[in-house]
Amino acid sequence: MRLIAYLLPRILAALITLFGVSVLVFLSLRLLPGGYADILLGPFVTPEARALIAQRYGLDQPLVVQYMRWVWAMLGGDFGVSMVTQRPVIAELLRRAPVTLQLALIALTLALVVGYPLGVLSGVRAASRRRKRDFGRVVGAMGASVPDFVLGSVLIFVFSVWSLWFRVGGYVPFGTDPVGNLRTMLLPGLTLSVFGVALILRTTRDTVLRVMTEPHITAAVARGATPGAIIRCHILRNAAIPVVTVVATYFGFLLGGAVIVEVLFSVPGVGLYIFNGLLNRDYAIVQGGVLLAAVVFITINMLADVLYALIDPRVGAAR
Amino acid sequence: MSGVRQIARRRLLGDGLTLFGALALGCLLFLGLFGPWLPLGDPLRIAAGPRLGAPSAQFLFGTDELGRDFLPRVVQGIRSTFLLSAIAVAITAVIGTLLGLAAGYLGRHTDQMIARGADILFAFPALVAGLLVAAVMGPGQASAITVISIATLPLFIRVVRSVTLGVAGRGFVTAAEVAGASTLRVMLVHLLPNVMGAVMVQLTYALSIGMIIESALSFLGLGVQPPDASLGSLLRQGSAYLTIAPWMVLTSGAVLSLAIMSVNLVGDAVRDALEPLKGRPLT
Amino acid sequence: MTARAQEPLVDIADLVIGYDTGTRQVRALDGASLQVFDDETLAIVGESGSGKTTLGMAAGRLLPPEAQLLGGRINVSGVDVTSADDAALRRLRHDRLGFVFQNPTAALDPTMRIGRQVALAMGGRPGPEAIAELLSRAELNEPQRIMRAFPHELSGGMAQRVVIAMAIARQPHLLIADEPTASLDASIREKVMATLGRLRAESGASLVILSHDLRLIARHADRVAVMYGGRIVELGPVVQVMQAPAHPYTNALLAAAAGNEAPGERLRPIPGTPPVLEARCEACAYAPRCALRQPRCEAERPEARRLAGREVVCHRAEAVIGAEQPTRQEAR
Amino acid sequence: MQPPVIALEQVTVTYRSGFLGGTGFDALRGVSLSVGAGETVGLVGESGSGKTTLGRVCLGLLPPTSGQMRFGGEGFGKLRHRRGQLSVVLQHPEWALNPRLRCGRSVEEPLVLTGVRAAERRERVAEILHQVGLDPSFAARLPGQLSGGQRQRIAIARALVTNPRFIVFDEAVSALDVSVQAQVLNLIRDLQERHGFGALFISHDLAATRYVSHRIAVMLNGEIVEDGPSGLFYGTPEHPYSRALLAAV
Amino acid sequence: MPGTPRTSLSALAIMAGLGLALPATAESVITWGKPAEITGFDVHVAGTVASWEMYQMVYETLLTTDDDLNLQPGLAESWEEVSQTRFIFTLREGAAFSNGRVVDAQDVIGSIERIRNPETASYWAHQLGEIVSMEALDDRRVAVDLARPHATFLPALAHITAAIIPVQEYQAGEFNPESEMLGSGPFMVSAHNQDESWTLLRNPHYGRDGYPRADRMNVAIIPDESARMAALRDGRIDFTTFENPDAPQMLGTTAGVAHHPIQTTNYYRFDVNALSEDSAFHDRRVRQAMNLSLDRDAINMLVFNGTSAVDYPVPAAFGTDACHDLDTYALPREERLARARELLAEAGQPAPRVELMAASANPVLVRIAEVAQQSLAEAGFDVRIAAVPTAEYLQRVFTDGDFDFSASWLAGYTDPSMVIQWWNPNFAVWNLAFQEEVPELSEALAAVRSVPDSPERDEALRDICAMIDEGANLLALVSKVDYVVYRSDQVEVRLADRTGSANTWQYIAEFAPAE
């Protein structure tokens, strides 16, 4: 019951957010100069051809009607068809979602496996030594400073000149060829994870430092607990709370926003699909893709809220 | 809370890493502000040297595929990336702070509306938003500023809102309310000065995000317009020639990373000074 | 009371501790000396900034790294706390010491159920019965329910009893309680103090209470140490010190506290503000606020001396103790 | 006889919590209380008993869910129509003053709001600082440079500068050290004698409360369980809860 | 799509997934690194080279061109020009769609009718001239009657947009050309993952015996140049094209990489807005000044490293030197600049502010714009560059006419008099938004359409060039070169030195894995 009371307002807020996102993406797409007719016909577009194509896709209707139709169809699970391929957008999105998910999971795993322990270590050390020049700050500052497209470009260069084990592009599904899949997915995953390492490291470090100012840590020290036990029993769990939120945001960002890396490494994920859809003015793709990304982002953040409430018993009760 | 001067004295100079960041930031700022008047050469002059010439005494950073001197182009890139982001973030900070104050202090419906608005911006995949805005407004500085604003606005709103919630419960705010101060007065006289610390910290992080976004947009060809350079557009330009002219990516990439890093380091220092975290050692 | 023949449990001698604030160093302790003996309750009284918390935490070397030991020594239960290595120190804390903190809810891990936290404090793998037993001893009804609860679900009084239970879990020789009731409601302070006192008596440990509340400790301590300016200015049995203070500061504290006055009587605040020391004080730290001060007080640092069954640090103690009991001005 | 400065009749405050106001919680239940001019009413009770809620109602910050509130015999109206007539002194000295404003600006703010001219404001600020025992030079200082007691004096000066008819002291001395507490308690008594305001003194500390109050009301679970002259609280109060409080003194 | 190949493919996939080694003789596979995804499936509608290149693999046209851009038999093994207005085509014996059905005369008629149907919105309808009637003489012979002589009728049929689709299946609703491809070309589509990859299998019913030589062609869509180079380097793709002239050099050190520039009839071009009164180019003298001050050699040298050629209204690839002696091309640069300044002064606009638009997706266009900006500045022009998304560029130029001038490249097709028709806005109706109509030019262009390739036609073209230059409305810049790069150790290729538009892979059926 308490969980429902906790979630219900959030779900309501999420629905409002989704509505806002849908209107925003719908309207901004209609505001874009140029349309699919231009893309399809190239320079040969004539007013007649343009009108014909608009009519074919219902683009000659008033905006409100178009929007209502879109939303209504979507409620029935129909995201529309791509104008380029005439195929249902939802099928393509579902085909690509696992690719993006895998990429995001690789990046997230790398970021967590490196960032969290380093963050804890760096925070504990910083608290003990009162020195600000510790490795955590250096790694954190550097990781947050190399944009993914810089790193990606350099990695592509390095790994294509000296053709090491990794490959750029040529995605194969994990189920078909696990090794081949990893050969193509690890590099973009690594590229994406660098920012995540820095993000998680910095957040963890700050949180650990903050937790270590709390009296219950002093109390544990006063009881004669060993540093290892204090970290294990008290710091890890308490420090995880804000990290959960940051990880959720980061994960949501990975799922919806890894466009550049997908473009750079030719990873056929959702980001690339939306990117190309946008270039082609393939409205249904962009609308569906952005909405899907927003749903995923909001859901993950909501899950993080639940996780937050599970880790921190104070949260659920505060309502 | 200590004043800016005290921060400068106590933090910036006290620690080598921060000092490095501050110095780098200072150099970049200098280059960004005064670059056009420095005797570095014309960033736009085509065929000033050979195509794709390697770094030499005459062209320290080499030349690009149209024979332009790359050094002044990088300096111009700093100017675009850095100043553009700074302008965008400054505008966003003002708007975000006001919205955050309103959300945190007025609560209820205002809070709900602002929070939902921020959520919508936040849930929109940042780069897709960037592409859409750049496409709707047309590529160029105005849309880059808008995209940076959209991406960083929620940061300001959230931080200011949560700090405001804390400050609004304090005695002096209640005292002002009881004395009959108007909502606007409470917000501007009592709340605003007290959230400025948090805004300052957020400002530096937003600036580093802003620089990433600006260069990402330029990398996708949606930022500053050719022939003007931004660090992102130079990277895009250079990445096509990575194999035969690696200096293009290496110089612009290094400068971009250095710029973001220096902003981050200075931001860390500001944060440390405003909100020192001193956990206790475990022994 | 006279000096005891036995070895003191805690022996603090001429302790000087400073805090590094980044721009300057502030002295929290300026030569504090104190002995605590077995099976007694000692109260350390002083206002904020007097150094009592520093003294209490120093006994377990729990001070933050900004704190620097500038002189003196601390011996607790035979361990030289200032020079012990981490392991020895941990053993000391683990086996001999128990701490009770000012804000009990904050002293408990907010994310862990009480039962587990108590179990961690007890060490080993205590069964639920043992945990419940311990909680019951701290006068917590329904120990089963409390074991399942999280700290934020407990009232302040209950949380403090949990903290006390954890502090006595391993039969410590010394309990140090820093303002154990300051954050609690007035109506339950007395009961919590009674519990603490009873548990101390049962276990035979010594208890050091740090407090600013003279009246509260008067009912619960055997001896009292009054701190001012980083030193212990008066130390003796409670009854003697409270009834006939020998230090003008003790006297003024008693006169300023509400609660002892008759209806309509007026409180007498202490003029001025407490000192902030940046170096060894070469005079009486209280002199600027003292009504009895003489030129000597501002020129010569007073040393501890025995007088009327207590130790006192004051050049003018005879004048204080000789004076009549403090009277209050009639109000209005 | 003059009407009381503030009079509450059967005031109930219900907090709604949960989604769509699902469950209600009564913070105050049928509370009746009045404070006359020149009178201090002490309000004691443990945390969560509704003391602070009652204080907020009296200040017009929280509208009662039901019941009547009158100010000087009239309806309360809006806060901005009561400028200069009400003020408050709150618990935490470090938060009592806006850390970004010089103390003089803080003290004069109520005067600014009532439209007093600058020259007169300066005069009044200097005067009130003198009355609370502070040198006028304090006006130029920032709160960060002041001790807790000094800050609480500034807060009292701000509360008094418009000569209000009613002041709420909400745990105004609880965070102060014994010696400073005595200074502030004396100050409240002296100033009330001079200015004649009605006051509500909220505290969980019975000793301090009875020292400044003429009457004491004891709250328990949102209700006033005992209300009588403060002299009563030096003897043996009737309600068992009052007796428990007294035992702690 | 037929079911069998797909089944076998998934069986292969399963075997590969199980880690089973495939017998070496099982299949010969070539892999194409394609720089861009198609923009639509409909061969009669899509107007982009990215789409045409894919259609070339699947569909056939009645005629094709050889290395010298002369017409060659395609799906039609022979054609007869009965008169200037009557043509009879004979279909190749055994030509069949990949579903096995033989191509017949009705497919030809139906396909051409579909192109001419306004509902189809095919831009190619104009190119075919005015067809009066078509009739099937028998299963393999089609006669077409034109209203009037139309010299480019045959070259128009050699362009992929005039592909022959299986009309019977289309009319029966079994084949939807908007979402599928089914043709008689060397390959058929087996699988397609949008923006990612295509799998093409050999058309078992392809008319030429033994072709295509490869059993399967994998297509990887790799828009990013660096990624495409990486794929070439690690051998994941066998062949691809670059627009960047430096690409071969960048790959130069990699063993096994060979390159081959193909001169195409495609050409880089400036479209100048003569109609908008908001544009400085509304004044013809300003346009002429711009044309004169353009440094086409600099564009060739700086953007293309000298590998391209200055283009004239008639693309250089056609090998005719019809227009070379015009002042615009023949005068020394200093004199041209002086003339340009004079013209600007006459027009009262010594320093016109103009915006040069280029599609940002193509870095070459942006580089051209940058070079042009600098060369125009020498005559006093103040040029601002706007690099915009392709869709926006197209709408602003061809629909809204809301621009000053724009850089682009356009297809030159297979015949000079075909491409030159683009200068007639009544023919190239999509240019109406910005192109001024010059009646004499239109007449001359209409006249030249019926003149076959001859010295007379060159003479006519020369006059037309002069008129085009005078109007300075659509300016040719330099030829477009396709830089084909392939792994000679992995694939055997056959490439032409010159091609018409989108015919880069005209010999794809002869590609095979290297021995």
Side-chain angles (χ1 to χ4, degrees), chain C residues 116-131:
Chain C
R116 175 126 191 271
Q117 300 198 46
V118 176
L120 279 175
M122 292 169 76
R125 286 170 196 260
E129 296 80 22
I131 299 171

mmCIF file with all atom_site columns, all heavy atoms in Angstrom, chain C residues 116-131:
data_model
loop_
_atom_site.group_PDB
_atom_site.id
_atom_site.type_symbol
_atom_site.label_atom_id
_atom_site.label_alt_id
_atom_site.label_comp_id
_atom_site.label_asym_id
_atom_site.label_entity_id
_atom_site.label_seq_id
_atom_site.pdbx_PDB_ins_code
_atom_site.Cartn_x
_atom_site.Cartn_y
_atom_site.Cartn_z
_atom_site.occupancy
_atom_site.B_iso_or_equiv
_atom_site.pdbx_formal_charge
_atom_site.auth_seq_id
_atom_site.auth_comp_id
_atom_site.auth_asym_id
_atom_site.auth_atom_id
_atom_site.pdbx_PDB_model_num
ATOM 1   N N   . ARG C 1 116 ? 20.194 -5.137  13.843 1.00 0.00 ? 116 ARG C N   1
ATOM 2   C CA  . ARG C 1 116 ? 21.486 -5.425  13.235 1.00 0.00 ? 116 ARG C CA  1
ATOM 3   C C   . ARG C 1 116 ? 22.554 -4.507  13.805 1.00 0.00 ? 116 ARG C C   1
ATOM 4   O O   . ARG C 1 116 ? 23.686 -4.931  14.055 1.00 0.00 ? 116 ARG C O   1
ATOM 5   C CB  . ARG C 1 116 ? 21.323 -5.254  11.726 1.00 0.00 ? 116 ARG C CB  1
ATOM 6   C CG  . ARG C 1 116 ? 22.566 -5.395  10.948 1.00 0.00 ? 116 ARG C CG  1
ATOM 7   C CD  . ARG C 1 116 ? 22.491 -6.405  9.830  1.00 0.00 ? 116 ARG C CD  1
ATOM 8   N NE  . ARG C 1 116 ? 23.846 -6.599  9.354  1.00 0.00 ? 116 ARG C NE  1
ATOM 9   C CZ  . ARG C 1 116 ? 24.407 -5.854  8.390  1.00 0.00 ? 116 ARG C CZ  1
ATOM 10  N NH1 . ARG C 1 116 ? 23.702 -4.930  7.772  1.00 0.00 ? 116 ARG C NH1 1
ATOM 11  N NH2 . ARG C 1 116 ? 25.664 -6.058  8.043  1.00 0.00 ? 116 ARG C NH2 1
ATOM 12  N N   . GLN C 1 117 ? 22.183 -3.250  14.018 1.00 0.00 ? 117 GLN C N   1
ATOM 13  C CA  . GLN C 1 117 ? 23.165 -2.306  14.546 1.00 0.00 ? 117 GLN C CA  1
ATOM 14  C C   . GLN C 1 117 ? 23.591 -2.716  15.956 1.00 0.00 ? 117 GLN C C   1
ATOM 15  O O   . GLN C 1 117 ? 24.770 -2.640  16.307 1.00 0.00 ? 117 GLN C O   1
ATOM 16  C CB  . GLN C 1 117 ? 22.581 -0.892  14.574 1.00 0.00 ? 117 GLN C CB  1
ATOM 17  C CG  . GLN C 1 117 ? 22.174 -0.404  13.211 1.00 0.00 ? 117 GLN C CG  1
ATOM 18  C CD  . GLN C 1 117 ? 22.004 1.111   13.169 1.00 0.00 ? 117 GLN C CD  1
ATOM 19  O OE1 . GLN C 1 117 ? 22.834 1.856   13.673 1.00 0.00 ? 117 GLN C OE1 1
ATOM 20  N NE2 . GLN C 1 117 ? 20.919 1.554   12.571 1.00 0.00 ? 117 GLN C NE2 1
ATOM 21  N N   . VAL C 1 118 ? 22.602 -3.122  16.749 1.00 0.00 ? 118 VAL C N   1
ATOM 22  C CA  . VAL C 1 118 ? 22.934 -3.547  18.113 1.00 0.00 ? 118 VAL C CA  1
ATOM 23  C C   . VAL C 1 118 ? 23.817 -4.784  18.053 1.00 0.00 ? 118 VAL C C   1
ATOM 24  O O   . VAL C 1 118 ? 24.805 -4.902  18.785 1.00 0.00 ? 118 VAL C O   1
ATOM 25  C CB  . VAL C 1 118 ? 21.648 -3.805  18.924 1.00 0.00 ? 118 VAL C CB  1
ATOM 26  C CG1 . VAL C 1 118 ? 21.986 -4.347  20.305 1.00 0.00 ? 118 VAL C CG1 1
ATOM 27  C CG2 . VAL C 1 118 ? 20.835 -2.531  19.039 1.00 0.00 ? 118 VAL C CG2 1
ATOM 28  N N   . ALA C 1 119 ? 23.478 -5.702  17.137 1.00 0.00 ? 119 ALA C N   1
ATOM 29  C CA  . ALA C 1 119 ? 24.276 -6.910  17.003 1.00 0.00 ? 119 ALA C CA  1
ATOM 30  C C   . ALA C 1 119 ? 25.721 -6.560  16.640 1.00 0.00 ? 119 ALA C C   1
ATOM 31  O O   . ALA C 1 119 ? 26.667 -7.124  17.183 1.00 0.00 ? 119 ALA C O   1
ATOM 32  C CB  . ALA C 1 119 ? 23.662 -7.818  15.939 1.00 0.00 ? 119 ALA C CB  1
ATOM 33  N N   . LEU C 1 120 ? 25.885 -5.593  15.705 1.00 0.00 ? 120 LEU C N   1
ATOM 34  C CA  . LEU C 1 120 ? 27.242 -5.178  15.339 1.00 0.00 ? 120 LEU C CA  1
ATOM 35  C C   . LEU C 1 120 ? 27.984 -4.639  16.541 1.00 0.00 ? 120 LEU C C   1
ATOM 36  O O   . LEU C 1 120 ? 29.171 -4.898  16.734 1.00 0.00 ? 120 LEU C O   1
ATOM 37  C CB  . LEU C 1 120 ? 27.173 -4.097  14.256 1.00 0.00 ? 120 LEU C CB  1
ATOM 38  C CG  . LEU C 1 120 ? 26.975 -4.549  12.817 1.00 0.00 ? 120 LEU C CG  1
ATOM 39  C CD1 . LEU C 1 120 ? 26.804 -3.336  11.916 1.00 0.00 ? 120 LEU C CD1 1
ATOM 40  C CD2 . LEU C 1 120 ? 28.167 -5.382  12.365 1.00 0.00 ? 120 LEU C CD2 1
ATOM 41  N N   . ALA C 1 121 ? 27.256 -3.874  17.386 1.00 0.00 ? 121 ALA C N   1
ATOM 42  C CA  . ALA C 1 121 ? 27.903 -3.283  18.543 1.00 0.00 ? 121 ALA C CA  1
ATOM 43  C C   . ALA C 1 121 ? 28.274 -4.351  19.565 1.00 0.00 ? 121 ALA C C   1
ATOM 44  O O   . ALA C 1 121 ? 29.255 -4.221  20.284 1.00 0.00 ? 121 ALA C O   1
ATOM 45  C CB  . ALA C 1 121 ? 26.973 -2.249  19.181 1.00 0.00 ? 121 ALA C CB  1
ATOM 46  N N   . MET C 1 122 ? 27.443 -5.419  19.624 1.00 0.00 ? 122 MET C N   1
ATOM 47  C CA  . MET C 1 122 ? 27.733 -6.456  20.612 1.00 0.00 ? 122 MET C CA  1
ATOM 48  C C   . MET C 1 122 ? 28.921 -7.297  20.179 1.00 0.00 ? 122 MET C C   1
ATOM 49  O O   . MET C 1 122 ? 29.605 -7.887  21.014 1.00 0.00 ? 122 MET C O   1
ATOM 50  C CB  . MET C 1 122 ? 26.497 -7.361  20.792 1.00 0.00 ? 122 MET C CB  1
ATOM 51  C CG  . MET C 1 122 ? 25.338 -6.628  21.449 1.00 0.00 ? 122 MET C CG  1
ATOM 52  S SD  . MET C 1 122 ? 23.801 -7.565  21.374 1.00 0.00 ? 122 MET C SD  1
ATOM 53  C CE  . MET C 1 122 ? 24.078 -8.778  22.641 1.00 0.00 ? 122 MET C CE  1
ATOM 54  N N   . GLY C 1 123 ? 29.153 -7.374  18.894 1.00 0.00 ? 123 GLY C N   1
ATOM 55  C CA  . GLY C 1 123 ? 30.250 -8.191  18.392 1.00 0.00 ? 123 GLY C CA  1
ATOM 56  C C   . GLY C 1 123 ? 29.839 -9.642  18.353 1.00 0.00 ? 123 GLY C C   1
ATOM 57  O O   . GLY C 1 123 ? 28.850 -10.052 18.982 1.00 0.00 ? 123 GLY C O   1
ATOM 58  N N   . GLY C 1 124 ? 30.550 -10.418 17.600 1.00 0.00 ? 124 GLY C N   1
ATOM 59  C CA  . GLY C 1 124 ? 30.214 -11.824 17.466 1.00 0.00 ? 124 GLY C CA  1
ATOM 60  C C   . GLY C 1 124 ? 28.903 -11.985 16.717 1.00 0.00 ? 124 GLY C C   1
ATOM 61  O O   . GLY C 1 124 ? 28.535 -11.142 15.903 1.00 0.00 ? 124 GLY C O   1
ATOM 62  N N   . ARG C 1 125 ? 28.171 -13.058 16.994 1.00 0.00 ? 125 ARG C N   1
ATOM 63  C CA  . ARG C 1 125 ? 26.881 -13.269 16.361 1.00 0.00 ? 125 ARG C CA  1
ATOM 64  C C   . ARG C 1 125 ? 25.824 -13.492 17.422 1.00 0.00 ? 125 ARG C C   1
ATOM 65  O O   . ARG C 1 125 ? 25.412 -14.623 17.675 1.00 0.00 ? 125 ARG C O   1
ATOM 66  C CB  . ARG C 1 125 ? 26.943 -14.486 15.442 1.00 0.00 ? 125 ARG C CB  1
ATOM 67  C CG  . ARG C 1 125 ? 27.707 -14.206 14.175 1.00 0.00 ? 125 ARG C CG  1
ATOM 68  C CD  . ARG C 1 125 ? 27.957 -15.498 13.432 1.00 0.00 ? 125 ARG C CD  1
ATOM 69  N NE  . ARG C 1 125 ? 29.002 -15.264 12.423 1.00 0.00 ? 125 ARG C NE  1
ATOM 70  C CZ  . ARG C 1 125 ? 28.721 -15.057 11.137 1.00 0.00 ? 125 ARG C CZ  1
ATOM 71  N NH1 . ARG C 1 125 ? 27.490 -15.047 10.731 1.00 0.00 ? 125 ARG C NH1 1
ATOM 72  N NH2 . ARG C 1 125 ? 29.702 -14.851 10.288 1.00 0.00 ? 125 ARG C NH2 1
ATOM 73  N N   . PRO C 1 126 ? 25.395 -12.410 18.046 1.00 0.00 ? 126 PRO C N   1
ATOM 74  C CA  . PRO C 1 126 ? 24.403 -12.587 19.109 1.00 0.00 ? 126 PRO C CA  1
ATOM 75  C C   . PRO C 1 126 ? 23.069 -13.018 18.518 1.00 0.00 ? 126 PRO C C   1
ATOM 76  O O   . PRO C 1 126 ? 22.686 -12.602 17.429 1.00 0.00 ? 126 PRO C O   1
ATOM 77  C CB  . PRO C 1 126 ? 24.302 -11.189 19.717 1.00 0.00 ? 126 PRO C CB  1
ATOM 78  C CG  . PRO C 1 126 ? 24.704 -10.267 18.628 1.00 0.00 ? 126 PRO C CG  1
ATOM 79  C CD  . PRO C 1 126 ? 25.710 -10.996 17.792 1.00 0.00 ? 126 PRO C CD  1
ATOM 80  N N   . GLY C 1 127 ? 22.367 -13.888 19.255 1.00 0.00 ? 127 GLY C N   1
ATOM 81  C CA  . GLY C 1 127 ? 21.024 -14.288 18.825 1.00 0.00 ? 127 GLY C CA  1
ATOM 82  C C   . GLY C 1 127 ? 20.031 -13.188 19.119 1.00 0.00 ? 127 GLY C C   1
ATOM 83  O O   . GLY C 1 127 ? 20.339 -12.242 19.855 1.00 0.00 ? 127 GLY C O   1
ATOM 84  N N   . PRO C 1 128 ? 18.857 -13.279 18.520 1.00 0.00 ? 128 PRO C N   1
ATOM 85  C CA  . PRO C 1 128 ? 17.835 -12.254 18.739 1.00 0.00 ? 128 PRO C CA  1
ATOM 86  C C   . PRO C 1 128 ? 17.474 -12.106 20.222 1.00 0.00 ? 128 PRO C C   1
ATOM 87  O O   . PRO C 1 128 ? 17.187 -11.002 20.688 1.00 0.00 ? 128 PRO C O   1
ATOM 88  C CB  . PRO C 1 128 ? 16.633 -12.771 17.949 1.00 0.00 ? 128 PRO C CB  1
ATOM 89  C CG  . PRO C 1 128 ? 17.099 -13.916 17.151 1.00 0.00 ? 128 PRO C CG  1
ATOM 90  C CD  . PRO C 1 128 ? 18.439 -14.347 17.634 1.00 0.00 ? 128 PRO C CD  1
ATOM 91  N N   . GLU C 1 129 ? 17.535 -13.231 20.955 1.00 0.00 ? 129 GLU C N   1
ATOM 92  C CA  . GLU C 1 129 ? 17.176 -13.140 22.379 1.00 0.00 ? 129 GLU C CA  1
ATOM 93  C C   . GLU C 1 129 ? 18.167 -12.253 23.096 1.00 0.00 ? 129 GLU C C   1
ATOM 94  O O   . GLU C 1 129 ? 17.799 -11.422 23.925 1.00 0.00 ? 129 GLU C O   1
ATOM 95  C CB  . GLU C 1 129 ? 17.184 -14.530 23.041 1.00 0.00 ? 129 GLU C CB  1
ATOM 96  C CG  . GLU C 1 129 ? 16.155 -15.497 22.481 1.00 0.00 ? 129 GLU C CG  1
ATOM 97  C CD  . GLU C 1 129 ? 16.623 -16.113 21.173 1.00 0.00 ? 129 GLU C CD  1
ATOM 98  O OE1 . GLU C 1 129 ? 17.853 -16.135 20.920 1.00 0.00 ? 129 GLU C OE1 1
ATOM 99  O OE2 . GLU C 1 129 ? 15.762 -16.533 20.373 1.00 0.00 ? 129 GLU C OE2 1
ATOM 100 N N   . ALA C 1 130 ? 19.454 -12.441 22.771 1.00 0.00 ? 130 ALA C N   1
ATOM 101 C CA  . ALA C 1 130 ? 20.476 -11.658 23.453 1.00 0.00 ? 130 ALA C CA  1
ATOM 102 C C   . ALA C 1 130 ? 20.288 -10.180 23.158 1.00 0.00 ? 130 ALA C C   1
ATOM 103 O O   . ALA C 1 130 ? 20.402 -9.330  24.051 1.00 0.00 ? 130 ALA C O   1
ATOM 104 C CB  . ALA C 1 130 ? 21.860 -12.112 23.012 1.00 0.00 ? 130 ALA C CB  1
ATOM 105 N N   . ILE C 1 131 ? 19.948 -9.882  21.897 1.00 0.00 ? 131 ILE C N   1
ATOM 106 C CA  . ILE C 1 131 ? 19.749 -8.477  21.529 1.00 0.00 ? 131 ILE C CA  1
ATOM 107 C C   . ILE C 1 131 ? 18.552 -7.916  22.280 1.00 0.00 ? 131 ILE C C   1
ATOM 108 O O   . ILE C 1 131 ? 18.614 -6.828  22.866 1.00 0.00 ? 131 ILE C O   1
ATOM 109 C CB  . ILE C 1 131 ? 19.527 -8.355  19.996 1.00 0.00 ? 131 ILE C CB  1
ATOM 110 C CG1 . ILE C 1 131 ? 20.767 -8.871  19.259 1.00 0.00 ? 131 ILE C CG1 1
ATOM 111 C CG2 . ILE C 1 131 ? 19.229 -6.927  19.614 1.00 0.00 ? 131 ILE C CG2 1
ATOM 112 C CD1 . ILE C 1 131 ? 20.567 -9.009  17.765 1.00 0.00 ? 131 ILE C CD1 1
#
